[in-house]
Amino acid sequence: MRYLGVEDIDDLVAGATVLGGGGGGDWYAPRQMLLHAVQTHGPVQLVAAADLAPDAPVLPIISAGTPSALVEMFHGERESVLLRALVEQRLPRPCAAVLPVQPGPVNALIPLVVAAQLGLPCIDADIMLRCFPAIEMTVFTLAGIPAAPLFAVDARGSSVVLDAPDDSTVSALLRSCMPHMGLVAMVSTYRVTAGDCARLTGGSGLTRCMRIGRALRGCQGSPDGLAEFGAVTLFTGVVAELLHRTTGGFPRGVLTIEASDPARVMRIDFQNENLVATEDGVVVVTVPDLINLHDADTGTVLQTVDVLVGQRVHVVAMPVGGSWHTSEGLALAGPRAFGLQVDAVAAPSANAVGG
Amino acid sequence: MSGLRVGVALTGHRAVAVLIDHDDAVLAHHAVEASSLPAGDRSPGRPSRAMYQNGDKVGPDVPDPVHRENTAHRAGPRAATGGLIDLLGRVLTCLADAPTRARVERIVVATEDPVGLLERPVELAPVGILRIAAPATTSVPPLTGWPPRLAAAVRGPVAVVGGGHQYDGRELAPLDLAAVAAFGRACRGTVCAVAVAGAGAPTNPVHEERARSVLLELLGPDVPIVTSHDVGGAGLLERENTVVLGAAVAPAVEEFASAATSALVEAGVDADLYLVTGDGTVLPAGLAIRHPLALLGAPHGAARGAPVEAGLFSEVAGVRTSIRPLRVAETPEAVRPPRGELAAAIGAATGQASGTVDAVFFYGEGGRDECVATARRSARELAIRRGADPRTVRVGEVREGAMTYIPVRCVRLRVTATGPVMATGGLR
């Protein structure tokens, strides 16, 4: 896959919703942004990091918008230009390509929009491998690369440059700026080269995302379509209860799914994304692996914000891949990193669950 | 107060009407089929266009000659409207005798026919499209991704101007009134209606309302203006799509409402006219042009009774809108056609008025309790504006929606107030 065109967009959205793991924001406005960008600027070139000059700087891009604000105030056309100028002020050379950060329903698409707007190619990779909610939960962090300096711009032309000795402070500083930026900002973070990307990012993030989406759409949303990616259906039942509570500023929740023959109960703890799946008191799978709810009647992969009591759902686990299952990876993105006092449990293989 | 009400399920082919009393007992029912004669022969004549001005009935009036240029683009009453009105008039005269008809207090019509125009884009006239949200949102122009034929049919002057509101009520930018005026001038004589969508409008409608004033001044009262805070829903693009589609059929809805009112007078029914919406609730006919797409699904809505909502948006004519889809449960025998039409007519006659608030409330000093109180109060007021009797309107359960990735204290609340329509007064 060398170019991403209009015909690829819906596969990308579908795959990104799977990699969203229950979160990642509303895809509609970003999808419309990408549609218009490709219609205006032509198909976006995807490049392998290894095909760029190793010392060429790249432009990592993530939209930090709160979904309920982003649907009202999604990006204009000058944020990408302003952001690139801010970043390149501190670089010896111009950026050679855009780098996706988070492969979710919003942020698998926004970097492509930016690439189209700036006339740059987009690296066919990302640095999270699935949606995580914090900007430091990336393979770059595992490699010891700091998130700072972090640049953020908003639609009105406000901008910030944030620097701090550790990533959690950078993150906290960004959260404190967001309320004054309308809760929507376009962000660039991590000062890296194409060589860093070639060394640290694994294969074909966006292309793989589109393959997942194509497989899912080819099966009308049935989890069977994802078997080739290691997906396993753990449970099928009806959503019986859905509880939300806000702890420490972050909305969290628990949903309970019941099956009737035989009687089983599954509990999913979530905070934006689905974090832990527990059946009859036993933890079955946790982050960093993917846990998704597929609507059994419509085939839609549900985000936690869309789940309704009474829906019939399949609970589907999929391995995240990469180096997330190392002790450093689990410390950064396992359940305990989200404040849940359980050890990580990897997604079962198809054999373990009886195929 | 007689308590007599009439409900009518109306399509281009059939009208089914019921007469009910104050205890909701069915006193009479009648059905008529479309005649084979051309509808034009029996239509009540060209209705006055100024009968409804932006939702308020102002009575028969002659359009101001200064604004006549704005009606130039519209043909006379469509054959489709004439056919509907013919059926309506006939079913009413057959339903009850003249003395009874004179005592009817309210007539409620369930029809989605005026909105059916969306399936025939070639019959649509261009609408003006005004988005108030710059410098944000400019990465997606209005009509992006629309089915090409539909987009070409509705595309009139399009402008994205400075303005809109952020989550906390602060202006995204000052409203660019000069740009609104330039857009308005471009619309003169070229559009049949105008659609206005502003960022943050459901919570802060002031920019949309100021734009409405400017456009009314420039275009006159005969060009319907559909604003997104009247259609509600989260998502600027979804609301924009909804108001553009709504504006495209607003003239047909307005024409139907005006012609139906004339038909009532001719049939000796001196009653308020209400229309059923897709969720089975009713609203005064004059308010239907504020949210024309609300008529979608009206006959099913009336027949179904209490709807169960499922999901966040519906696709209409291939375009994503902010209309919430309703879960169609198993259809019991009693509501399947032809008895379904009777159920729809009864549902129309007994339909209640409602108002729904669905918004994100950011915590002020009063915290969550104040947000809940504000939401309940707004829902109640909206229901009353739509005809609910203040003495009997009930505010339903406040439901809290999930929100993600949000670093400020806020809560998404959804609440609906519902109640019987007030027996007298209203739009008379």
Side-chain angles (χ1 to χ4, degrees):
Chain A
M1 168 78 58
R2 293 295 314 280
Y3 285 86
L4 183 139
V6 169
E7 65 281 3
D8 300 308
I9 292 177
D10 286 332
D11 287 338
L12 183 68
V13 170
T17 306
V18 172
L19 296 177
D26 186 337
W27 53 264
Y28 183 63
R31 176 206 185 261
Q32 298 299 87
M33 289 172 65
L34 183 55
L35 179 63
H36 179 69
V38 172
Q39 286 175 337
T40 309
H41 303 286
V44 182
Q45 186 181 17
L46 301 180
V47 295
D51 291 342
L52 299 168
D55 59 347
V58 300
L59 184 68
I61 290 288
I62 183 168
S63 171
T66 296
S68 53
L70 190 65
V71 293
E72 287 297 316
M73 244 182 74
F74 49 93
H75 304 293
E77 286 173 307
R78 60 188 189 195
E79 288 93 316
S80 54
V81 176
L82 179 55
L83 192 55
R84 178 198 201 171
L86 272 179
V87 170
E88 288 184 348
Q89 256 176 15
R90 295 174 170 224
L91 293 176
R93 297 167 51 185
C95 294
V98 170
L99 174 70
V101 169
Q102 180 195 68
V106 170
N107 281 311
L109 283 65
I110 300 282
L112 291 161
V113 175
V114 170
Q117 289 173 341
L118 298 179
L120 290 174
C122 187
I123 295 178
D124 192 358
D126 67 84
I127 59 174
M128 284 188 186
L129 304 185
R130 56 150 293 165
C131 224
F132 283 126
I135 215 140
E136 60 266 31
M137 292 179 169
T138 66
V139 301
F140 283 166
T141 300
L142 294 178
I145 300 176
L150 180 146
F151 305 79
V153 303
D154 74 5
R156 297 174 60 238
S158 303
S159 66
V160 290
V161 180
L162 301 172
D163 207 343
D166 58 78
D167 284 358
S168 59
T169 306
V170 173
S171 231
L173 287 172
L174 177 61
R175 278 197 300 280
S176 74
C177 292
M178 294 299 294
H180 306 284
M181 301 177 101
L183 294 180
V184 178
M186 194 177 288
V187 168
S188 188
T189 179
Y190 296 104
R191 179 173 161 154
V192 286
T193 63
D196 295 323
C197 295
R199 184 169 50 91
L200 296 170
T201 66
S204 314
L206 294 177
T207 302
R208 179 172 182 266
C209 187
M210 283 185 271
R211 278 182 45 226
I212 291 171
R214 202 170 309 131
L216 187 71
R217 293 173 79 213
C219 271
Q220 283 79 51
S222 162
D224 298 338
L226 300 179
E228 68 180 278
F229 303 100
V232 174
T233 301
L234 300 177
F235 196 92
T236 299
V238 174
V239 177
E241 190 180 54
L242 184 57
L243 296 173
H244 293 281
R245 59 183 188 277
T246 305
T247 326
F250 275 104
R252 280 177 181 265
V254 179
L255 61 94
T256 308
I257 308 164
E258 293 177 350
S260 54
D261 191 18
R264 300 157 69 194
V265 178
M266 175 162 276
R267 168 197 169 116
I268 310 268
D269 285 85
F270 61 86
Q271 174 190 301
N272 308 315
E273 298 84 14
N274 297 314
L275 302 176
V276 177
T278 308
E279 182 178 343
D280 293 331
V282 177
V283 175
V284 185
V285 61
T286 72
V287 282
D289 284 332
L290 285 163
I291 304 168
N292 273 304
L293 267 53
H294 293 232
D295 186 321
D297 296 318
T298 65
T300 312
V301 173
L302 297 168
Q303 297 187 309
T304 57
V305 288
D306 298 332
V307 177
L308 295 172
V309 170
Q311 272 174 330
R312 215 167 61 90
V313 298
H314 301 298
V315 180
V316 179
M318 208 165 106
V320 67
S323 48
W324 285 116
H325 281 283
T326 59
S327 55
E328 296 82 10
L330 294 178
L332 186 59
R336 293 184 191 276
F338 290 88
L340 293 169
Q341 302 309 322
V342 296
D343 291 327
V345 175
S349 68
N351 298 332
V353 192
Chain B
M1 283 181 354
S2 67
L4 288 181
R5 289 156 289 157
V6 170
V8 184
L10 183 62
T11 69
H13 308 290
R14 257 168 86 80
V16 176
V18 298
L19 175 71
I20 64 172
D21 69 9
H22 61 275
D23 289 324
D24 290 355
V26 176
L27 302 176
H29 61 88
H30 196 83
V32 297
E33 304 265 338
S35 73
S36 54
L37 290 171
D41 286 352
R42 296 162 85 129
S43 70
R46 187 191 172 101
S48 161
R49 295 210 182 285
M51 196 156 265
Y52 288 94
Q53 264 189 40
N54 296 304
D56 301 315
K57 182 175 174 185
V58 296
D61 203 349
V62 176
D64 183 343
V66 170
H67 300 291
R68 189 165 295 152
E69 58 177 329
N70 290 309
T71 65
H73 206 81
R74 284 192 288 174
R78 296 175 183 81
T81 304
L84 290 175
I85 299 307
D86 170 63
L87 285 167
L88 179 64
R90 283 167 53 208
V91 80
L92 287 177
T93 50
C94 294
L95 179 68
D97 61 21
T100 308
R101 293 201 302 270
R103 290 169 52 225
V104 169
E105 288 184 352
R106 181 162 67 252
I107 169 161
V108 187
V109 176
T111 185
E112 58 180 354
D113 255 56
V115 184
L117 214 51
L118 290 175
E119 290 164 20
R120 307 186 292 278
V122 65
E123 294 181 37
L124 294 170
V127 303
I129 303 172
L130 178 67
R131 184 195 294 174
I132 306 171
T137 78
T138 56
S139 61
V140 184
L143 304 183
T144 296
W146 276 48
R149 274 182 57 206
L150 186 61
V154 304
R155 183 186 290 275
V158 177
V160 178
V161 307
H165 288 82
Q166 302 184 88
Y167 74 98
D168 57 0
R170 280 183 302 165
E171 279 185 350
L172 169 58
L175 177 60
D176 188 347
L177 285 167
V180 174
F183 163 79
R185 286 190 293 273
C187 288
R188 291 181 103 142
T190 62
V191 304
C192 70
V194 174
V196 181
T203 327
N204 290 280
V206 57
H207 283 186
E208 286 190 353
E209 284 305 297
R210 283 167 65 194
R212 176 194 290 278
S213 301
V214 170
L215 294 171
L216 196 54
E217 190 73 35
L218 288 167
L219 302 175
D222 295 341
V223 177
I225 300 169
V226 185
T227 46
S228 85
H229 71 272
D230 284 317
V231 312
L236 175 68
L237 289 175
E238 290 90 337
R239 280 202 315 283
E240 182 177 85
N241 289 340
T242 306
V243 293
V244 173
L245 291 174
V249 297
V253 170
E254 184 185 45
E255 187 176 275
F256 172 76
S258 294
T261 302
S262 297
L264 295 192
V265 170
E266 278 212 11
V269 177
D270 183 27
D272 292 329
L273 174 65
Y274 280 71
L275 298 177
V276 178
T277 67
D279 68 2
T281 61
V282 305
L283 52 82
L287 287 186
I289 60 163
R290 290 274 194 151
H291 184 7
L293 287 198
L295 298 188
L296 272 175
H300 283 112
R304 186 174 41 228
V308 178
E309 288 190 351
L312 292 170
F313 70 92
S314 296
E315 230 183 54
V316 175
V319 167
R320 183 163 156 167
T321 70
S322 60
I323 295 174
R324 293 179 79 105
L326 297 169
R327 185 174 294 172
V328 180
E330 229 178 70
T331 312
E333 182 64 43
V335 299
R336 292 198 194 122
R339 295 197 63 199
E341 292 167 321
L342 196 57
I346 295 170
T350 57
Q352 305 206 327
S354 79
T356 297
V357 166
D358 179 5
V360 176
F361 291 82
F362 288 84
Y363 284 24
E365 288 179 1
R368 187 179 180 279
D369 289 345
E370 187 187 335
C371 299
V372 170
T374 303
R376 291 174 54 93
R377 194 171 52 243
S378 300
R380 189 170 182 279
E381 284 166 5
L382 185 58
I384 291 169
R385 275 208 298 283
R386 291 166 139 222
D389 187 333
R391 296 165 298 183
T392 50
V393 65
R394 303 170 310 275
V395 180
E397 183 195 329
V398 176
R399 282 172 290 166
E400 189 170 331
M403 300 190 57
T404 55
Y405 309 108
I406 192 147
V408 298
R409 299 283 283 165
C410 63
V411 63
R412 180 170 188 161
L413 298 174
R414 183 172 168 78
V415 58
T416 299
T418 313
V421 177
M422 195 153 61
T424 57
L427 291 186
R428 295 277 199 97

